[in-house]
């Protein structure tokens, strides 16, 4: 008995010697790991989003690397964060809610309008086959492209352009997500939605928009429902 106790204490000490520095290294490598875990538990799971794959992806995506350096300490807070050029990275819960509504599958090709920081595209890319994303501000398109490729998200194509024009060369898409608000869902984008596909968008002018889910059935018929009120930057027109 005394021997076993002794060896188990030695085991614990050995465990501490081996594991503690390793944990320290991991924390040093990702100082925001605890913030991210808290974000998923307190802002997303607690509000009713439980899809295991989506939660896994949110736990794995380094949101702080998608915001300006000065804003990193607030990257996991329960609100949107400005990223320059009048754009914001959406509140974590809204990213989760819209992704949950879109429900991308591993075989889906997805179009996003409003690349912004690239964070929503990174989340989608881990759940879908390929993500195409359009950003109207050249500087944002460029910086999102470089963050996404530095972090190794290889199945995302970023295009600088006007989302009102869609991406005809790659259409149709199984999923389309708008992260800037048009006054009404552009017909071009409804036309680029495949049969059986889903489109999620904030719709409306001004300070009160409706989050809309449009489903196109196998026969091309549309069904539309509202998923609550949201606040997004307006989708601007890039002209003719
Ligand atoms: N999905 C982003 C959040 C984007 S904020 C993220 O995860 O960070 C909305 C973005 O839509 C802004 O970057 C804005 O410049 C862009 N935008 C506005 N109008 C647009 C348009 N017509 N076409 C493409 N992008 C547009």
């Amino acid at each position: 008995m005394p021997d076993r106790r002794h060896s188990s204490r030695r085991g614990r000490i050995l465990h501490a010697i081996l594991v503690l520095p390793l944990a320290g290294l991991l924390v040093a490598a990702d100082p925001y790991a605890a913030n991210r875990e808290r974000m998923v538990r307190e802002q997303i799971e607690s509000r009713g989003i439980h899809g295991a794959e989506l939660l896994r992806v949110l736990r794995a995506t380094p949101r702080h690397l998608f915001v300006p350096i000065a804003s990193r300490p607030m990257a996991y807070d329960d609100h949107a964060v400005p990223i320059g050029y009048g754009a914001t990275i959406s509140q974590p819960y809204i990213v989760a809610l819209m992704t949950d509504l879109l429900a991308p599958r591993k075989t889906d090709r997805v179009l996003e309008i409003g690349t912004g920081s690239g964070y929503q595209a990174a989340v989608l890319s881990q759940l879908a086959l390929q993500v195409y994303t359009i950003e109207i501000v050249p500087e944002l398109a460029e910086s999102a492209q470089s963050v996404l490729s530095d972090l190794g998200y290889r199945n995302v194509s970023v295009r600088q352009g006007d989302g009102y024009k869609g991406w005809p060369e790659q259409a149709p898409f199984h999923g389309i997500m708008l992260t800037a608000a048009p006054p009404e869902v552009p017909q071009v984008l409804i036309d680029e939605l495949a049969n059986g596909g889903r489109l999620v968008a904030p719709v409306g002018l001004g300070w009160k928009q409706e989050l809309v889910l449009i489903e196109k059935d196998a026969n091309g018929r549309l069904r539309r429902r509202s998923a609550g009120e949201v606040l997004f930057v307006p989708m601007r027109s890039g002209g003719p």
Side-chain angles (χ1 to χ4, degrees), residues 63 66 83-90 95 112-121 134-137 140 161-164 179-180 232-238:
R63 182 173 160 94
F66 290 85
I83 53 170
Y85 308 94
T88 57
I89 181 173
S90 310
V95 171
E112 180 197 27
I113 307 297
T115 315
S117 68
Y119 174 71
Q120 174 74 73
I134 305 177
E135 169 56 53
I136 204 163
V137 176
L140 288 175
D162 180 3
Y164 279 107
T179 62
F232 274 80
V233 303
M235 187 164 160
R236 27 173 158 146
S237 174

Side-chain angles (χ1 to χ4, degrees), residues 36-232:
R36 190 160 56 247
E37 178 56 34
R38 209 176 315 122
M39 169 196 91
V40 172
R41 264 191 288 113
E42 295 175 7
Q43 300 172 36
I44 294 166
E45 285 188 283
S46 71
R47 291 179 180 143
I49 291 180
H50 298 296
E53 260 308 275
L54 174 54
L55 295 179
R56 184 190 65 72
V57 165
L58 294 168
R59 285 192 163 95
T61 310
R63 182 173 160 94
H64 59 285
L65 299 180
F66 290 85
V67 302
I69 291 176
S71 301
R72 283 186 185 169
M74 62 171 104
Y76 295 95
D77 292 356
D78 195 11
H79 51 73
V81 177
I83 53 170
Y85 308 94
T88 57
I89 181 173
S90 310
Q91 179 189 0
Y93 172 66
I94 295 296
V95 171
L97 176 64
M98 290 176 73
T99 308
D100 195 46
L101 286 169
L102 196 72
R105 295 159 304 183
K106 272 287 182 205
T107 49
D108 285 354
R109 300 163 69 257
V110 171
L111 174 68
E112 180 197 27
I113 307 297
T115 315
S117 68
Y119 174 71
Q120 174 74 73
V123 168
L124 289 170
S125 77
Q126 296 165 78
L127 298 162
L129 181 66
Q130 180 72 34
V131 176
Y132 300 88
T133 178
I134 305 177
E135 169 56 53
I136 204 163
V137 176
E139 291 85 349
L140 288 175
E142 211 168 287
S143 66
Q145 168 76 78
S146 78
V147 175
L148 287 162
S149 74
D150 287 353
L151 293 176
Y153 299 105
R154 306 252 173 267
N155 58 339
V156 183
S157 312
V158 182
R159 168 188 267 193
Q160 190 271 316
D162 180 3
Y164 279 107
K165 300 196 167 92
W167 195 324
E169 302 87 339
Q170 296 296 343
F173 302 97
H174 303 105
I176 300 182
M177 182 186 287
L178 283 69
T179 62
E184 190 38 81
V185 182
Q187 187 60 42
V188 170
L189 298 179
I190 294 179
D191 292 343
E192 290 191 356
L193 191 61
N195 286 0
R198 296 157 80 86
L199 179 151
V200 176
V203 175
L205 288 168
W207 294 100
K208 211 172 98 178
Q209 301 143 7
E210 196 184 11
L211 186 59
V212 162
L213 169 65
I214 292 178
E215 292 170 274
K216 199 184 250 191
D217 73 15
N219 301 312
R221 270 191 306 261
L222 301 175
R223 211 177 63 189
R224 174 178 173 138
R225 73 175 164 91
S226 170
E229 259 174 36
V230 283
L231 178 57
F232 274 80

